[in-house]
Amino acid sequence: EPHPRISYALDRLGLVRHLQDDLEGAESLYLRSLKVLGPSDRPTPWNDATLLNLARLYRRQGRGLEAEAVMAYFRGDDAAEETR
């Protein structure tokens, strides 16, 4: 069974890579962090932080539509289409 601390550790490592401008490495770690916990009806602080970090990364890369899709998932709605 996946452990939330693994997800948290991967998110933190992703943030370090993000801050070091290794955006591909950061994205990979953020996505791995989300996979550890899997889809859940109940958000956790770990996957919430990772979703926000991933959205920030996508915005920084100029991937606005992907950032909006991540934020819509975070909010639990389909707001990505409404904000374009």
Side-chain angles (χ1 to χ4, degrees):
E1 180 172 313
H3 198 284
R5 288 184 187 165
I6 294 171
S7 177
Y8 177 77
L10 289 168
D11 173 72
R12 299 293 84 187
L13 289 170
L15 183 58
V16 169
R17 293 274 176 94
H18 194 155
L19 294 172
Q20 293 174 334
D21 291 325
D22 177 4
L23 304 184
E24 287 181 24
E27 180 181 13
S28 174
L29 287 162
Y30 290 150
L31 293 173
R32 282 178 58 199
S33 173
L34 292 170
K35 269 187 168 179
V36 166
L37 292 178
S40 172
D41 292 335
R42 291 183 298 155
T44 68
W46 293 281
N47 59 13
D48 283 354
T50 303
L51 288 168
L52 292 173
N53 288 336
L54 186 60
R56 285 181 45 233
L57 176 110
Y58 287 159
R59 284 207 189 284
R60 184 171 175 194
Q61 292 177 316
R63 296 162 65 183
L65 291 177
E66 289 169 277
E68 274 306 313
V70 170
M71 289 306 299
Y73 181 81
F74 173 77
R75 290 186 301 262
D77 62 24
D78 294 324
E81 292 299 316
E82 297 169 16
T83 57
R84 290 202 291 153

